[in-house]
């Protein structure tokens, strides 16, 4: 099957040719503790083999002898699928690499290659197509209407100061947190609005499977809708890739700046707290904050959630926090493929999880590896004498609960402390 | 023409020409492939930018020390920090030779490292004749000398060679064919240099000139393949990588 190989720009060229193979990055990856061959350097090497074949003279002439190889057989692609979906793109390997190589970005490009050849998890492919074509809106109309009835908040109000960007995924797996965010916004007297429909499923799902065209279409459509409402600030609840993608990549993808400012809910609450609009009472609870990789390491949102939590709880220290946070392994679509969340998506949208026996086995193995990948971090969190772990990322929250940790969404925790 | 003269007057100039062409090719690719992005940077202070620049370089080192101490000691400290880098760029004999090609390189003479802890004399066959190295390093010369640094670098490079072979044996993909070629080359440069400096295996002048010729020949090969191998990280990949990461993470994202 023909594959589409990513173009080189100066950054990709650097990631491609300047890896020394020192494997210093290896211990930074949660999947390395599942299998040593899941080290970031090794996963990225699969893409390097493909790039060598296309972009180097030695690769074209000497092929495998110099580590240049294009996937050809079904077995080749299936093997690549296993490695490509053992990366949460958390970015820790990027900052621990002595050469500043973002192996997560390389693995995402590997997913692009796979996707171009028709290899991607069925569920992600379906969600991406639904997101791109808008099919999820009609499919989830009842869920959305039920949410709006419960929320009792302004909907599609033009020129509100704040638009709460709610996706279908937020409603399905963090419904209470979204409702709590609405409660907080009402309590501070914010001029805000909800969208008239869910904005994407987990936008952009296309990013998780390497379908850049779908990701671009979804981002363009959501930005167009948001701009039609003219808010000053768009607030994202999802602390995973949706935040970092819209905050730092979307402008480059659409090649223009937007007419609104984009914040994560924790940034907005920190602003309220600083200005005195948000008044919180001490709950007398010891908490530990599980930072989100995409917010803290790839997004620079480190202090804001801490400041808010410190106003209502005793925040305990835990090692590897802030920008050095250890990932729970559910980013970049892996959390979406986990049984708990995929079951919700199947129920809400009628999506299919697996289309073949091989894919069923692939997902079962991924589920087991995902659980093992979370174990190291969960042990560290359990060792801290906290009453509850507060998480900002919905996939982290699911992983923590699955691991038997008392965990709560950041917004829900803060909502409890409202005066 | 004996090997010393051949290495000095044919191989090394040829290697420098190949190096210049190769390095230019490598660098210009980055210029031509550059695409300006459209980003909204997070505001941050000047002090934050400087601090994060320093941390970008330090973070991998401290992480490596915590997670892979053997790699840190042999790969980073012995081979790089107190092995190859001072040896290549500050050994008095090397300064003398490089100064003959690039005159301003002589500015580094005050930092020159003698070849042995016992004597600071340059060898009589060096292009500058007999000269005493006036080292700034004082008592540190006990360690900062060609003998010791070469041993550190040989230990580090040997460790890396065996580590790579072991990793290859274990089926790790991060060991590439290039590793199996360049590590022996690096060791050949180091060992012939050390043997020449010690007039080994024989004190005979013919043996000495042969060994020095081999050392320079291997060094010429090292210089010629420099832009086309992972050795180039010292001149480009390392600096570009960390500066890009700093821009991406600190300047753009405020991390």
């Amino acid at each position: 099957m023909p594959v589409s190989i990513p173009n080189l720009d100066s950054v990709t060229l650097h990631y491609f040719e300047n890896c020394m193979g020192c494997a210093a990055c290896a211990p930074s990856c949660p999947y390395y503790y599942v299998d040593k061959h899941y080290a970031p350097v090794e996963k990225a090497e699969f893409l390097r083999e493909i790039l060598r074949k296309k972009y180097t003279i030695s690769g074209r002439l000497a092929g495998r002898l110099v580590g240049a190889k294009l996937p050809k057989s079904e077995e080749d692609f299936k093997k690549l699928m296993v490695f490509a979906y053992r990366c949460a793109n958390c970015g820790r390997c990027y900052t621990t690499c002595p050469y500043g190589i973002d192996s997560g970005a390389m693995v995402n490009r590997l997913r692009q290659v796979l996707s171009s050849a028709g290899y991607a998890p069925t569920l992600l492919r379906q969600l991406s197509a639904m997101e791109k074509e808008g099919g999820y809106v009609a499919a989830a109309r009842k869920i959305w209407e039920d949410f709006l009835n419960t929320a009792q908040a302004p909907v599609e109000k033009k020129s509100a100061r704040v638009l709460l960007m709610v996706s279908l995924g937020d409603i399905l797996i963090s419904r209470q947190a979204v409702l709590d965010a609405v409660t907080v916004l009402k309590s501070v007297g914010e001029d805000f609005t909800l969208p008239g429909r869910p904005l994407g499923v987990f936008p952009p799902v296309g990013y998780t499977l390497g379908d850049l065209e779908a990701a671009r279409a979804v981002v363009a459509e959501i930005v167009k809708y948001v701009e039609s409402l003219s808010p000053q600030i768009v607030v994202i609840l999802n602390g995973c890739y949706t935040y970092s993608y819209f905050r730092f990549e979307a402008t480059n993808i659409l090649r223009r700046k937007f007419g609104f400012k984009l914040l994560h809910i924790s940034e907005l609450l920190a602003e309220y707290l600083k200005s005195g609009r948000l008044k919180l009472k001490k709950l007398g609870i010891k908490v530990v904050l599980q930072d989100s990789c995409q917010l803290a390491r790839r997004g620079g949102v480190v202090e804001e959630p801490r400041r808010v939590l410190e106003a209502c709880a005793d925040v305990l220290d835990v090692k590897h926090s802030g920008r050095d946070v250890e990932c729970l392994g559910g980013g970049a679509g892996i959390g979406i493929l986990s049984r708990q969340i995929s079951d919700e998506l199947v129920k809400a949208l009628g999506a299919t999880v697996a289309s073949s026996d091989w894919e069923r086995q692939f997902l079962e193995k991924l589920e087991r590896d995902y659980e093992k990948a979370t174990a190291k971090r969960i042990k560290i969190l359990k060792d801290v004498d906290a009453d509850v772990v507060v998480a900002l990322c919905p996939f982290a929250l699911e992983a923590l609960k699955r691991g038997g940790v008392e965990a709560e969404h950041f917004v829900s925790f803060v909502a409890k402390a409202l005066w | 023409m004996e090997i010393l003269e051949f290495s000095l007057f044919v191989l090394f100039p040829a290697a420098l020409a190949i190096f210049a062409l190769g390095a230019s090719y490598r660098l210009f690719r980055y210029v031509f492939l550059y695409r300006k992005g459209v980003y909204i940077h997070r505001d941050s202070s000047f002090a934050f930018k400087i601090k994060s620049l320093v941390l970008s370089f330090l973070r991998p080192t401290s992480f490596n020390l915590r997670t892979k101490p053997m790699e840190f000691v042999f790969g980073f400290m012995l081979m790089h920090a107190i092995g190859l880098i001072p040896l290549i760029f500050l050994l008095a004999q090397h300064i003398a030779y490089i100064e003959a090609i690039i005159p301003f390189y002589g500015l580094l003479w005050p930092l020159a490292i003698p070849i042995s802890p016992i004597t600071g004399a340059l060898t009589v066959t060096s292009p500058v004749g007999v000269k005493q190295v006036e080292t700034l390093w004082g008592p540190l010369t006990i360690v900062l000398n060609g003998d010791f640094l070469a041993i550190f670098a040989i230990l580090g490079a040997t460790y890396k060679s065996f580590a790579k072979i072991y990793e290859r044996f274990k089926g790790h993909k991060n060991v590439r064919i290039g590793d199996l070629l360049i590590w022996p080359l690096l060791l050949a440069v180091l060992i012939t240099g050390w043997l020449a400096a010690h007039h080994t295996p024989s004190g005979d002048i013919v043996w000495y000139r042969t060994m020095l010729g081999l050392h320079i020949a291997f060094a010429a090969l090292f210089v010629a393949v420099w832009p086309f191998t992972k050795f180039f990280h010292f001149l480009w990949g390392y600096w570009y990588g960390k500066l890009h990461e700093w821009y991406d993470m600190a300047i753009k994202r405020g991390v």
Side-chain angles (χ1 to χ4, degrees), chain A residues 8-11 14-15 17-21 23-24 28 37 41-42 45-46 49 52 65 94 96-100 243 247-249 251-252 255 257 267 297-300 320 323, chain B residues 26 29-30 33-34 36-42 59-60 63-64 66-68 164 170-174 176-177 230 233 236-238 240-242 244-245 248-249 252-255:
Chain A
L8 289 182
D9 55 26
S10 54
V11 176
H14 164 63
Y15 296 161
E17 67 177 20
N18 287 325
C19 172
M20 298 298 114
S28 65
H37 291 289
V41 63
E42 293 202 49
E45 191 65 17
F46 285 107
E49 288 181 341
R52 272 187 210 112
L65 184 66
Y94 183 19
T96 56
C97 171
Y99 309 96
Y243 173 79
R247 174 66 181 81
F248 297 107
E249 304 302 331
T251 49
N252 191 43
R255 306 299 298 171
K257 294 185 178 176
E267 295 178 277
R297 183 162 37 248
R298 287 201 190 267
H320 306 307
R323 60 157 297 152
Chain B
R26 290 281 302 262
R29 286 183 83 193
Y30 282 83
L33 288 172
Y34 171 72
K36 187 172 167 48
V38 180
Y39 299 110
I40 299 169
H41 294 177
R42 193 183 287 284
R59 197 172 290 112
F63 182 75
N64 201 223
R66 279 187 282 122
T67 56
K68 290 190 159 186
K164 287 284 174 189
K170 297 281 279 183
H172 290 291
K173 290 183 76 67
N174 52 303
R176 307 169 187 125
I177 187 85
K230 63 165 62 175
H233 75 271
W236 176 251
Y238 175 67
Y240 174 85
K242 292 320 280 183
H244 170 263
E245 180 204 317
D248 184 31
M249 299 298 269
K252 195 164 105 184
R253 297 165 192 263
V255 183

Side-chain angles (χ1 to χ4, degrees), chain A residues 325-385:
Chain A
V325 62
E326 278 183 348
C327 176
L328 280 157
I334 293 173
I336 299 174
L337 294 170
S338 70
R339 194 166 298 126
Q340 288 149 305
I341 294 175
S342 61
D343 283 351
E344 290 289 337
L345 291 162
V346 169
K347 206 162 68 182
L349 297 170
T352 310
V353 173
S355 60
S356 67
D357 284 343
W358 176 83
E359 192 177 356
R360 253 183 293 282
Q361 287 165 15
F362 165 79
L363 291 174
E364 281 167 14
K365 173 86 167 44
L366 176 59
E367 182 89 4
R368 287 196 298 275
D369 287 353
Y370 176 27
E371 275 185 40
K372 286 183 199 165
T374 60
K376 182 170 176 272
R377 183 61 178 166
I378 284 180
K379 185 178 180 311
I380 290 172
L381 291 167
K382 279 181 173 172
D383 286 347
V384 180
D385 182 29

